[in-house]
Amino acid sequence: MELIWAHGLQKEARDLLLAHAPSEYGGALLCRTGVNGDADTFRALAFEPARTEEVSESEETGLTIDPAFWVRLAKPARKQGLSVVPIHTHPFTQAAPAFSRRDRAGELSLQPVLERLTGRPSAAVVMGERLETVGRFQDGKRLEGTVRSIGESPTRAATVAIDSEVFSRHIRAFGEEGQQRLQSLRVGVVGASGTGSHVCEQLIRLGVGELIVVDSDVVSRVNLNRIVTASGNDAAEERAKVDTVRDYAAWAATGTEVVGVRGDLLDTAVSERVRTVDALFGCTDTIASRAILNRIAVQHFIPYWDCGTEISAGHGLRAYGRMRVVLAGGPCLYCSGVIDPEALRVELLDPAQRDLERARGYIRGAQAPAPSVVSINAVVASLAVTSFLRWVVGGEPIDGGEWIFRSYAGDVRRQEAQRDPQCPVCSTGARLGRADLPVGLSQ
Amino acid sequence: MATYIFVENQRHELHRDEITAAQIRALGNIPDDNHVFRETPGDDPDPEVPAGSFEVREGEKFYAVPPGNFGLVVATDAEAEIAGLIAEHGGEVKQTPDGQRWLVLDRFVLGPAWNPPVSKVAIRITGYPEAALDGFCIPATVMLLSGAQPTATSPTAVFGAEVWWNFSYHPVSWRMGRHTLRSYIGFIRQRLQEGR
């Protein structure tokens, strides 16, 4: 079993609970679980500390939280379909903390009551100085599992053999375990054109296990300036862009299996396929695709790297490259203002209606192809893939936010975004952790 | 006329329209440390039943909720506790010729106010768990980030010629029988976080 913290929540809980050290303290996590068959995964969306008047004992060696605390949380949790998961601290414990006998006895009596009151499975979390452990009773057995934040990649068992010759320089950089983690991941890339082909190339060279590449388009001669996986023959034969990525992987021989999905993300079958990945790159230039990828990231707790470039024509090479990391629980593309509701509405119109609105002056701006330059695409792809690599190999959790490359200044700047607590997409009461909801824009 | 109520999802027949919390506890065989709540409609939390007698209505539901009861059990096996700390931090137990017993932890996080921020720490554990813990040292090669010697310390040759800063630090809130080596480490951390 596994518990995944929404972005920022782990630090919030740790700071608040361990402030009571050396005394133990506690509260509850509100989690989403049991959707799409992943009953053993608890996604922690919110944290509620016990109020001081709800705690009858808080000592170095013990903690008692009054029953009224659980009853206070149970009704709203049941209404929202959330699990209530008790959490308490073992201050000063540096390694993964262990449940004490008293912890387990307390959990044994509390878990079935919380499950009955909320109608959802429950568990318990014990928090040390740096790590947490999650456990629950199930079918008379005691299960324990790992805890990680959305900013940390899942640690998989080292069941994959690695080619220590091909990846010898990786192993020097981040060890065999890092390479094994790369090879155990399934990564989605939506868009296999200018930036997307660079992202695919780098992920293939890194040796990720499986790449699901989505693009509906074929290669044409106008793509040859920037699609690094495509050749002149591909353009002449009008081959699918996703097929060029698959051929490139076979040619590079680094072991990555490429699954090409020739389709549009607006197609439910395609978006359903994409939500099965461990990590997601968005390299599209449509707002609708971004809106769907944003939903997948927020609802399914899948880290999402959004890439984009912007070149001002006629100003020398005044170009911007933007890379945004969306981590469930942090600011999403909607909070950051990337998804413009009016532009999205226009994009979703059928062509006839769009032409009509344009003729009536409701829609401004020409629909000319945007400029695109291979080197700018490569910078953005490298920023995104390097951030992804940090997420994979661990060390410390990555952070969400936006990184902007400015060609004229020759620098990369980080821009903070604030999460909107009322965001219709990523707020706790909206789509955060709602893996049970469809991600399509018509739903 | 009989009234039906539900306690812990079990239906019970009453021949009166009043009941006490104690009677509900008896009907549901509810443990003493559990509290009894009355199920109510709406979004407000369900209320706890009053201590005295109160009126019940046909079909009302009552349920018990235990406290959240957590805690580290005070270690009775000091050697297991020491072994656990060594497993976490690396280190060893050392005996000195003067009869003192020290736990030396190799990778102890001193905090950002220290140079280096991670170092050895030695804790005098002579007589533990019966004896209180109140002395610890760090190597004299460790300084405050400012380069100064830590305050209220004296250089001491603890293990042979090796010099350590001996902290004169006696936590006033030490309580025999409640505190452990781990909670003493908490006091050490508090002192080191003061960065002086």
Side-chain angles (χ1 to χ4, degrees):
Chain A
M1 66 181 298
E2 184 180 37
L3 183 133
I4 310 172
W5 293 94
H7 185 57
L9 195 61
Q10 184 183 35
K11 184 177 185 313
E12 180 191 332
R14 180 171 289 148
D15 288 353
L16 218 147
L17 293 178
L18 287 173
H20 294 264
S23 297
E24 294 192 13
Y25 207 76
L29 299 175
L30 299 172
C31 298
R32 183 83 58 189
T33 189
V35 287
N36 298 331
D38 59 348
D40 279 347
T41 301
F42 288 75
R43 297 180 176 94
L45 312 184
F47 162 65
E48 182 71 28
R51 297 171 184 154
T52 48
E53 66 269 24
E54 292 170 326
V55 174
S56 50
E57 177 204 5
S58 172
E59 301 279 352
E60 289 91 328
T61 53
L63 169 72
T64 305
I65 300 177
D66 291 341
F69 172 69
W70 313 110
V71 173
R72 174 164 71 84
L73 299 187
K75 264 192 189 175
R78 187 180 188 97
K79 203 171 173 181
Q80 295 183 62
L82 297 172
S83 300
V84 173
V85 174
I87 179 170
H88 77 283
T89 56
H90 283 180
F92 313 123
T93 302
Q94 297 295 317
F99 288 92
S100 69
R101 263 179 298 179
R102 182 177 165 188
D103 292 341
R104 287 195 297 270
E107 189 190 333
L108 193 57
S109 61
L110 190 56
Q111 183 186 312
V113 173
L114 291 175
E115 290 181 343
R116 198 181 70 220
L117 293 179
T118 62
R120 305 298 307 162
S122 184
V125 175
V126 58
M127 171 176 260
E129 296 283 333
R130 295 184 300 113
L131 301 166
E132 301 87 40
T133 306
V134 61
R136 71 185 303 259
F137 289 94
Q138 187 172 306
D139 303 326
K141 290 180 186 163
R142 169 79 186 163
L143 306 176
E144 286 194 5
T146 54
V147 180
R148 68 178 172 96
S149 78
I150 181 79
E152 298 167 290
S153 68
T155 305
R156 299 270 166 77
T159 52
V160 282
I162 57 173
D163 188 325
S164 57
E165 189 176 1
V166 169
F167 297 115
S168 63
R169 302 303 176 100
H170 286 176
I171 293 165
R172 285 171 189 270
F174 39 77
E176 289 193 357
E177 190 191 334
Q179 189 61 41
Q180 279 165 333
R181 286 184 182 200
L182 277 166
Q183 292 183 201
S184 69
L185 291 176
R186 176 189 290 164
V187 181
V189 179
V190 177
S193 201
T195 310
S197 66
H198 280 285
V199 168
C200 290
E201 179 189 41
Q202 294 188 19
L203 294 174
I204 289 165
R205 294 292 177 183
L206 285 172
V208 299
E210 186 180 347
L211 206 53
I212 295 184
V213 187
V214 178
D215 201 305
S216 60
D217 209 357
V218 296
V219 180
S220 64
R221 282 182 54 75
V222 297
N223 299 136
L224 294 179
N225 74 321
R226 61 188 185 279
I227 299 187
V228 294
T229 53
S231 68
N233 284 342
D234 293 325
E237 293 172 16
E238 295 189 340
R239 297 188 65 224
K241 290 176 180 176
V242 295
D243 289 344
T244 70
V245 177
R246 197 187 57 221
D247 290 354
Y248 178 86
W251 177 74
T254 51
T256 299
E257 184 189 339
V258 172
V259 178
V261 179
R262 193 174 168 191
D264 194 311
L265 203 58
L266 270 70
D267 179 348
T268 306
V270 176
S271 57
E272 286 294 298
R273 190 86 182 263
V274 169
R275 69 171 179 75
T276 64
V277 300
D278 298 303
L280 192 53
F281 288 84
C283 309
T284 73
D285 51 9
T286 71
I287 299 169
S289 297
R290 284 199 164 97
I292 293 172
L293 292 170
N294 191 53
R295 284 187 174 188
I296 292 174
V298 167
Q299 291 175 220
H300 291 271
F301 269 50
I302 299 172
Y304 163 37
W305 286 265
D306 176 71
C307 302
T309 62
E310 193 181 315
I311 300 174
S312 304
H315 294 89
L317 187 59
R318 195 174 182 87
Y320 299 89
R322 296 177 194 277
M323 189 279 284
R324 304 176 190 87
V325 184
V326 178
L327 301 171
C332 75
L333 292 189
Y334 199 90
C335 302
S336 313
V338 176
I339 297 171
D340 174 358
E342 174 57 16
L344 178 59
R345 181 191 74 82
V346 171
E347 235 184 63
L348 294 173
L349 291 174
D350 66 64
Q353 182 67 26
R354 196 181 302 130
D355 289 346
L356 187 66
E357 290 205 11
R358 198 180 298 281
R360 289 177 177 172
Y362 296 135
I363 301 172
R364 297 191 184 282
Q367 284 216 304
S372 182
V373 176
V374 66
S375 60
I376 309 296
N377 297 340
V379 171
V380 179
S382 296
L383 285 173
V385 174
T386 304
S387 169
F388 159 80
L389 190 55
R390 283 194 58 237
W391 175 76
V392 175
V393 302
E396 57 185 41
I398 63 162
D399 215 350
E402 182 177 21
W403 283 259
I404 303 169
F405 164 68
R406 305 186 302 170
S407 67
Y408 56 92
D411 63 7
V412 176
R413 291 185 165 191
R414 179 162 180 207
Q415 198 156 311
E416 297 288 344
Q418 294 295 318
R419 184 180 179 207
D420 176 1
Q422 304 300 322
C423 176
V425 180
C426 71
S427 59
T428 307
R431 289 180 170 266
L432 184 63
R434 294 296 306 270
D436 56 320
L437 294 180
V439 295
L441 295 177
S442 57
Q443 289 143 328
Chain B
M1 187 165 161
T3 300
Y4 293 98
I5 63 167
F6 294 86
V7 177
E8 295 287 75
N9 283 332
Q10 294 293 314
R11 184 175 151 139
H12 297 275
E13 187 179 318
L14 301 180
H15 295 284
R16 58 194 180 280
D17 55 6
E18 284 200 338
I19 198 167
T20 65
Q23 287 167 335
I24 290 179
R25 285 179 180 282
L27 286 173
N29 196 22
I30 295 169
D32 288 346
D33 66 344
N34 281 212
H35 293 203
V36 181
F37 294 83
R38 188 206 302 244
E39 203 174 294
T40 56
D43 291 341
D44 290 336
D46 292 338
E48 198 171 336
V49 298
S53 163
F54 58 93
E55 193 177 325
V56 288
R57 287 183 294 276
E58 178 83 14
E60 276 203 301
K61 293 177 179 175
F62 299 90
Y63 61 91
V65 177
N69 206 339
F70 313 105
L72 281 168
V73 174
V74 175
T76 50
D77 184 348
E79 296 311 311
E81 191 186 16
I82 290 166
L85 285 165
I86 289 173
E88 284 175 29
H89 300 272
E92 61 182 326
V93 173
K94 284 187 172 184
Q95 298 278 355
T96 51
D98 60 353
Q100 296 294 328
R101 188 174 189 230
W102 293 84
L103 170 62
V104 182
L105 299 176
D106 285 346
R107 297 180 300 276
F108 192 85
V109 178
L110 307 178
W114 300 88
N115 183 22
V118 178
S119 167
K120 288 188 177 189
V121 64
I123 305 162
R124 187 167 48 230
I125 56 171
T126 316
Y128 177 75
E130 291 88 339
L133 302 168
D134 74 344
F136 73 97
C137 304
I138 59 176
T141 51
V142 176
M143 301 297 242
L144 286 162
L145 211 55
S146 62
Q149 174 185 334
T151 57
T153 61
S154 51
T156 311
V158 184
F159 308 111
E162 197 181 348
V163 180
W164 294 61
W165 299 126
N166 189 0
F167 281 70
S168 173
Y169 186 62
H170 311 287
V172 290
S173 55
W174 177 269
R175 280 181 287 167
M176 289 291 292
R178 298 294 312 260
H179 287 95
T180 66
L181 192 45
R182 280 188 187 275
S183 55
Y184 183 68
I185 284 174
F187 287 118
I188 295 176
R189 280 189 205 286
Q190 282 179 342
R191 166 64 181 87
L192 294 171
Q193 278 171 8
E194 291 169 9
R196 60 177 175 86

